[in-house]
Amino acid sequence: MAVDVSLFIDGAWRPGASGRTLDVINPATEDVIGTVARAEIADLDAALAAAQKGFAVWRAMSAFERGKILRRAAALLRERSEKIALIMTREQGKPVKEAKVEISVAADTLDWFAEEARRAYGRVVPARAPNITNLVLKEPVGPVAAFTPWNFPINQIARKLAAALAAGCSIIVKAPEEAPGSPAEFIRALADAGVPAGVVNLVFGVPAEISAHLIPHPLIRKISFTGSTAVGKELAALAGAHMKRATMELGGHAPAIVFNDADIDVALRVLVARKFRNAGQACTAPTRFLVQRDVYQNFLTRFVAATKALKIGDGLDSATDVGPLANPRRIAALESFVADAVKKGAKLIIGGTRQGHKGYFFAPTILAHVPTNARAMNEEPFGPIALVNSFESFDEAVTEANRLAYGLASYAFTSSAATADALARQIEAGMVAINDSHLSSPELPIGGVKDSGYGSEGGPEAMDAYLVTKLVTQAAG
Ligand code: NAD
């Protein structure tokens, strides 16, 4: 079942202007399973013109009508979930059950923002003189350029697109070349639901070429990027040079703090699931496990046992818990993180190597007593590697949690309300999950601080990113 993915521009599927394509590879087998069209500058210019036209149509439509179309798209996505999940798994590697959850969350995201469209309220501000009316209006910012990565091929788009469309913006999405099929199905659901031509446009190609053309372009009024901190800083600089508003959802290096008084069953359930979901390729995955001295050995022993019980395999196999990594770049990166940590004194408890000869499988890996100068303790591993260290005091744990420039997700486990309250105030992160793991629902703001980026996706905050404020002050008569 080869899937050949085209560009979607001005309401039509089409090849790139040059006819060139890129191969799509199944990470579980390394087979070429399809192609994706490669956009040239002429295609990007066509997408820009379409987005300009689409913006005029879409912003003129009532929020009520826009919401109806988004809800219809959500329903189509749910109807087509089985088929789209298989496409996602074959291209990206995650277990089908995870792909289905992702599609269901994307549908919920469309539904939630469909409602939020109707709540983009302005204000009436009391005037200082009689007969004056001060209105604060919220207007869509304009055509958006969104750059989304391969780890959650649909959801990374849904979070940006749902809010942008709800606000009345048009959008050009540069989706991941590694996993283009499910993003194309997501866009198809929107088109089939009645989104007018030009409102959503989908391109693939050479990421740096596309961002270098779209971000400075005068028609584009807002940028949203999800990906690594290094690339995010480049794109933010480009956006700044051209005075474009930007949302940056970048890397993380989440601490997971387990206190002596924690419910270890809960900590293990949450942390094993969050660590190895999507083979660890999530910006919110727990990475630095900090376990208080009295429970350290017990936690480590049980964490190792739970990790060993995970079944590694092709995501198409319903028994699989952990699929392959999405691309061979991650294998090389993870091997080098492990070698460096061991060289610097860490103890490799399990895993640490590629698994099998075919497919980009990497064994779930646990390293203990990892020194803070190990690269893995400082750079985002973005894979199935857990670093488990011990700590003595609350202050020591918080100092380590806040040591890095990253500040995206964080996790903590304690039965003390006082400890939980102190953590909530002192952890430098965009998200703090205490005895819990529910970080990414459509109604919740997701985003980072420090090098993890700026702006929120999810929640009413996400709408603000696509709205501009206009003051109208008017004297009667
Ligand atoms: P990468 O830094 O090369 O790319 C990350 C993402 O940015 C990819 O989707 C890529 O297509 C895109 N990209 C790269 N250069 C670009 C440019 N000039 N303009 C526009 N887009 C560009 O790394 P990678 O090997 O693909 O992924 C590994 C790293 O990326 C990880 O270490 C992780 O930090 C980060 N990442 C983060 C997320 C996230 O959810 N925040 C998702 C995927 C990858």
Side-chain angles (χ1 to χ4, degrees), residues 149-151 156 207-208 211 225-228 231 250 283 329 380 382:
W150 41 263
N151 59 341
Q156 302 282 24
S211 56
F225 171 75
T226 300
S228 59
V231 174
L250 309 180
C283 53
R329 297 193 295 283
E380 186 178 28
F382 218 65

Side-chain angles (χ1 to χ4, degrees), residues 3-22:
V3 177
D4 295 318
V5 178
S6 305
L7 311 177
F8 187 71
I9 296 173
D10 201 12
W13 295 97
R14 52 190 251 186
S18 67
R20 285 197 282 180
T21 59
L22 303 163

Side-chain angles (χ1 to χ4, degrees), residues 89-440:
T89 294
R90 279 163 50 82
E91 294 183 347
Q92 197 271 348
K94 69 180 61 183
V96 171
K97 57 194 169 201
E98 289 187 24
K100 284 187 189 159
V101 170
E102 178 171 345
I103 293 161
S104 151
V105 173
D108 284 357
T109 302
L110 290 170
D111 273 343
W112 195 82
F113 280 100
E115 290 303 311
E116 207 60 8
R118 300 197 272 175
R119 288 188 278 271
Y121 303 130
R123 307 199 305 281
V124 180
V125 182
R128 289 183 173 215
N131 302 324
I132 301 282
T133 307
N134 292 323
L135 293 179
V136 179
L137 304 181
K138 295 286 181 183
E139 296 185 335
V141 60
V144 174
F147 301 87
T148 63
W150 41 263
N151 59 341
F152 294 93
I154 286 189
N155 241 343
Q156 302 282 24
I157 303 175
R159 290 202 208 136
K160 299 176 194 308
L161 179 146
L165 262 57
C169 298
S170 59
I171 192 165
I172 301 175
V173 180
K174 203 296 289 168
E177 293 72 27
E178 294 96 331
S182 59
E185 291 306 315
F186 179 67
I187 298 295
R188 194 185 310 281
L190 287 150
D192 291 350
V195 172
V199 176
V200 297
N201 303 278
L202 177 68
V203 297
F204 302 94
V206 178
E209 270 176 35
I210 297 177
S211 56
H213 191 68
L214 294 185
I215 294 176
H217 199 285
L219 282 176
I220 293 297
R221 307 301 284 272
K222 157 90 190 167
I223 317 300
S224 185
F225 171 75
T226 300
S228 59
T229 293
V231 174
K233 284 182 176 176
E234 281 174 31
L235 301 193
L238 191 56
H242 295 272
M243 200 47 72
K244 303 294 170 75
R245 289 158 56 122
T247 297
M248 292 283 150
E249 212 272 85
L250 309 180
H253 204 293
I257 311 174
V258 181
F259 287 89
N260 284 339
D261 62 4
D263 182 328
I264 300 290
D265 290 338
V266 171
L268 283 166
R269 178 167 48 73
V270 169
L271 292 175
V272 172
R274 295 298 294 193
K275 176 69 255 179
F276 298 109
R277 181 178 68 126
N278 203 10
Q281 302 165 114
C283 53
T284 54
T287 295
R288 281 170 295 150
F289 289 60
L290 311 170
V291 186
Q292 207 163 11
R293 182 77 70 203
D294 292 357
V295 292
Y296 179 79
Q297 199 50 54
N298 178 31
F299 176 87
L300 184 60
T301 306
R302 292 183 59 192
F303 183 48
V304 170
T307 303
K308 277 185 177 161
L310 296 171
K311 181 160 182 327
I312 321 302
D314 190 327
L316 293 175
D317 179 345
S318 61
T320 293
D321 297 308
V322 183
L325 301 178
N327 57 59
R329 297 193 295 283
R330 300 310 315 145
I331 297 262
L334 295 182
E335 281 174 347
S336 115
F337 278 128
V338 173
D340 170 79
V342 170
K343 195 169 122 208
K344 289 181 175 141
K347 186 166 176 215
L348 179 62
I349 311 281
I350 53 166
T353 54
R354 185 175 186 161
Q355 193 160 304
H357 299 298
K358 220 157 198 329
Y360 310 135
F361 295 97
F362 196 86
T365 298
I366 299 176
L367 288 154
H369 310 296
V370 192
T372 46
N373 66 347
R375 276 182 45 229
M377 286 290 285
N378 297 281
E379 300 167 35
E380 186 178 28
F382 218 65
I385 295 189
L387 314 167
V388 189
N389 285 346
S390 66
F391 70 91
E392 298 280 352
S393 67
F394 175 91
D395 287 347
E396 189 188 344
V398 170
T399 301
E400 170 55 24
N402 292 342
R403 178 177 59 86
L404 298 184
Y406 291 114
L408 194 60
S410 57
Y411 303 84
F413 299 85
T414 175
S415 56
S416 154
T419 303
D421 185 60
L423 283 169
R425 291 167 200 278
Q426 292 184 37
I427 299 268
E428 295 171 359
M431 296 168 267
V432 182
I434 300 177
N435 302 325
D436 186 26
S437 68
H438 295 101
L439 286 175
S440 47

